Amino acid sequence: MARHHYRCPLRWADMDAFGHVNNVVFLRYLEEARIDFMFRLAPGEGSESFTGGSVVARHEIDYKLPLVHRHEPVLIESWVTRIGAASLTIRYEVKDEATEDAPETVYVRAETVVVPYDLAAGRPRRITAEERRFLEEYLDEPVAASASASGNRREGRLAA
């Protein structure tokens, strides 16, 4: 199973009064990674995949650690956990990779349900065979976003 990697720069405007990335900004980071994955990476030459539009049906985010401003970008790793007839689920980790000097640091785990959308008809549409083939390359076992790696969920434990 492949994973998509997107490096997202941190901007001063993304910070809250405490110097942390604002919790709402993480949605934009996930959107940037999702667009890179679905709309830039997926379409091949002559491909119509994902070009007709899509809508977000649901987001779920678990904030693990505050992300403070620095000059290095943060890594957003994404993969697919479910492919339905007319929706898909993308899972993400916003993190710093492990180095010789430091272990991997996960700031956010999230999940988004995306529905392909026919903009001209104004309604959801089915996932095409071409889109399904592309998504299957990134398909992993489904994991509920509410079940973190440790199995614990604590609401509101981080103020971002």
Side-chain angles (χ1 to χ4, degrees), residues 4 16 25 27 34 39 45 55 58 63 76 78 83 101 108 114 116 124 145 152:
H4 175 253
D16 62 17
V25 171
L27 288 171
R34 188 172 59 255
F39 298 103
E45 192 171 310
V55 295
R58 183 171 185 277
Y63 300 96
I76 303 175
S78 55
I83 306 169
D101 301 326
V108 163
V114 179
N152 296 328

Short mmCIF file of all heavy atoms in Angstrom, two decimals, residues 4 16 25 27 34 39 45 55 58 63 76 78 83 101 108 114 116 124 145 152:
data_model
loop_
_atom_site.label_atom_id
_atom_site.label_comp_id
_atom_site.label_asym_id
_atom_site.label_seq_id
_atom_site.Cartn_x
_atom_site.Cartn_y
_atom_site.Cartn_z
N HIS A 4 0.60 8.79 0.31
CA HIS A 4 0.89 10.07 -0.32
C HIS A 4 1.56 10.97 0.70
O HIS A 4 1.13 11.04 1.85
CB HIS A 4 -0.41 10.69 -0.82
CG HIS A 4 -0.23 12.06 -1.39
ND1 HIS A 4 -0.64 13.18 -0.73
CD2 HIS A 4 0.33 12.48 -2.55
CE1 HIS A 4 -0.35 14.24 -1.46
NE2 HIS A 4 0.24 13.84 -2.57
N ASP A 16 -2.02 30.90 16.28
CA ASP A 16 -2.94 31.57 17.21
C ASP A 16 -2.13 32.45 18.16
O ASP A 16 -0.91 32.61 17.99
CB ASP A 16 -3.80 30.54 17.95
CG ASP A 16 -3.00 29.58 18.83
OD1 ASP A 16 -1.81 29.86 19.14
OD2 ASP A 16 -3.56 28.55 19.23
N VAL A 25 -6.90 25.83 11.14
CA VAL A 25 -5.91 25.82 10.06
C VAL A 25 -5.57 24.39 9.65
O VAL A 25 -5.29 24.13 8.47
CB VAL A 25 -4.66 26.60 10.48
CG1 VAL A 25 -3.54 26.44 9.48
CG2 VAL A 25 -5.00 28.08 10.67
N LEU A 27 -7.54 22.05 9.13
CA LEU A 27 -8.46 21.67 8.05
C LEU A 27 -7.94 22.13 6.70
O LEU A 27 -8.05 21.41 5.71
CB LEU A 27 -9.85 22.26 8.30
CG LEU A 27 -10.65 21.62 9.41
CD1 LEU A 27 -11.91 22.43 9.69
CD2 LEU A 27 -10.99 20.18 9.07
N ARG A 34 -5.10 16.82 0.42
CA ARG A 34 -6.12 16.08 -0.32
C ARG A 34 -6.18 16.54 -1.77
O ARG A 34 -6.28 15.74 -2.70
CB ARG A 34 -7.47 16.26 0.38
CG ARG A 34 -8.58 15.42 -0.16
CD ARG A 34 -9.85 15.50 0.69
NE ARG A 34 -10.37 16.86 0.81
CZ ARG A 34 -10.27 17.64 1.88
NH1 ARG A 34 -9.66 17.20 2.97
NH2 ARG A 34 -10.78 18.84 1.90
N PHE A 39 -6.26 15.73 -7.08
CA PHE A 39 -6.42 16.54 -8.28
C PHE A 39 -5.13 16.83 -9.02
O PHE A 39 -5.16 17.20 -10.18
CB PHE A 39 -7.12 17.86 -7.94
CG PHE A 39 -8.51 17.63 -7.41
CD1 PHE A 39 -8.76 17.74 -6.06
CD2 PHE A 39 -9.53 17.29 -8.25
CE1 PHE A 39 -10.03 17.50 -5.56
CE2 PHE A 39 -10.80 17.06 -7.76
CZ PHE A 39 -11.05 17.16 -6.40
N GLU A 45 -2.35 11.69 -18.10
CA GLU A 45 -2.56 12.35 -19.38
C GLU A 45 -3.91 11.93 -19.97
O GLU A 45 -4.18 10.76 -20.15
CB GLU A 45 -1.43 11.97 -20.33
CG GLU A 45 -1.39 12.82 -21.57
CD GLU A 45 -0.13 12.57 -22.37
OE1 GLU A 45 0.95 12.60 -21.78
OE2 GLU A 45 -0.27 12.34 -23.58
N VAL A 55 -17.07 16.92 -2.78
CA VAL A 55 -17.46 17.64 -1.57
C VAL A 55 -17.03 16.82 -0.37
O VAL A 55 -16.92 15.59 -0.43
CB VAL A 55 -18.97 17.93 -1.51
CG1 VAL A 55 -19.40 18.87 -2.61
CG2 VAL A 55 -19.78 16.65 -1.56
N ARG A 58 -17.63 14.77 5.71
CA ARG A 58 -17.33 14.65 7.13
C ARG A 58 -15.84 14.80 7.37
O ARG A 58 -15.03 14.33 6.58
CB ARG A 58 -17.78 13.27 7.61
CG ARG A 58 -17.61 12.99 9.05
CD ARG A 58 -18.31 11.66 9.37
NE ARG A 58 -18.26 11.42 10.77
CZ ARG A 58 -17.22 10.88 11.40
NH1 ARG A 58 -16.17 10.53 10.71
NH2 ARG A 58 -17.23 10.70 12.69
N TYR A 63 -6.44 16.00 17.84
CA TYR A 63 -5.25 16.84 18.05
C TYR A 63 -4.39 16.16 19.10
O TYR A 63 -4.83 15.93 20.23
CB TYR A 63 -5.66 18.24 18.51
CG TYR A 63 -6.53 18.94 17.50
CD1 TYR A 63 -7.91 18.93 17.61
CD2 TYR A 63 -5.96 19.61 16.43
CE1 TYR A 63 -8.71 19.56 16.66
CE2 TYR A 63 -6.74 20.25 15.49
CZ TYR A 63 -8.12 20.21 15.61
OH TYR A 63 -8.90 20.84 14.68
N ILE A 76 2.47 15.83 5.77
CA ILE A 76 1.12 15.28 5.87
C ILE A 76 1.10 14.01 5.04
O ILE A 76 1.27 14.02 3.83
CB ILE A 76 0.05 16.26 5.37
CG1 ILE A 76 0.15 17.57 6.16
CG2 ILE A 76 -1.34 15.64 5.50
CD1 ILE A 76 -0.77 18.65 5.67
N SER A 78 -1.00 10.75 3.82
CA SER A 78 -2.41 10.37 3.64
C SER A 78 -2.52 9.07 2.87
O SER A 78 -1.64 8.70 2.09
CB SER A 78 -3.18 11.49 2.93
OG SER A 78 -2.57 11.84 1.71
N ILE A 83 -13.28 2.68 0.22
CA ILE A 83 -13.77 3.10 -1.09
C ILE A 83 -15.17 2.52 -1.23
O ILE A 83 -15.35 1.30 -1.25
CB ILE A 83 -12.88 2.58 -2.25
CG1 ILE A 83 -11.43 2.97 -2.03
CG2 ILE A 83 -13.40 3.10 -3.59
CD1 ILE A 83 -10.45 2.27 -2.97
N ASP A 101 18.13 11.88 15.51
CA ASP A 101 18.12 12.63 16.76
C ASP A 101 16.77 12.66 17.46
O ASP A 101 16.70 13.02 18.64
CB ASP A 101 18.57 14.07 16.51
CG ASP A 101 19.96 14.14 15.90
OD1 ASP A 101 20.80 13.29 16.24
OD2 ASP A 101 20.18 15.04 15.07
N VAL A 108 -1.36 15.61 14.57
CA VAL A 108 -2.79 15.43 14.29
C VAL A 108 -2.99 14.11 13.56
O VAL A 108 -2.20 13.74 12.69
CB VAL A 108 -3.32 16.60 13.42
CG1 VAL A 108 -4.65 16.26 12.78
CG2 VAL A 108 -3.43 17.88 14.22
N VAL A 114 -15.03 11.89 1.57
CA VAL A 114 -15.13 12.70 0.36
C VAL A 114 -16.15 12.05 -0.57
O VAL A 114 -16.14 10.82 -0.76
CB VAL A 114 -13.77 12.80 -0.36
CG1 VAL A 114 -13.88 13.62 -1.64
CG2 VAL A 114 -12.72 13.39 0.57
N PRO A 116 -17.46 12.24 -4.49
CA PRO A 116 -17.34 12.81 -5.83
C PRO A 116 -18.66 13.49 -6.21
O PRO A 116 -19.74 13.00 -5.87
CB PRO A 116 -17.08 11.60 -6.72
CG PRO A 116 -16.52 10.57 -5.80
CD PRO A 116 -17.23 10.79 -4.49
N PRO A 124 -24.29 14.24 -6.12
CA PRO A 124 -23.18 13.28 -5.99
C PRO A 124 -23.16 12.33 -7.17
O PRO A 124 -24.18 12.14 -7.86
CB PRO A 124 -23.50 12.52 -4.70
CG PRO A 124 -24.43 13.41 -3.95
CD PRO A 124 -25.21 14.16 -5.00
N ALA A 145 -11.10 7.13 13.04
CA ALA A 145 -10.31 8.28 13.51
C ALA A 145 -10.46 8.46 15.00
O ALA A 145 -9.57 8.93 15.67
CB ALA A 145 -10.71 9.55 12.78
N ASN A 152 -7.08 5.50 23.04
CA ASN A 152 -7.74 6.47 23.90
C ASN A 152 -8.23 7.65 23.09
O ASN A 152 -7.63 8.04 22.12
CB ASN A 152 -6.77 7.00 24.97
CG ASN A 152 -6.33 5.92 25.92
OD1 ASN A 152 -7.09 5.00 26.20
ND2 ASN A 152 -5.11 6.02 26.40
#
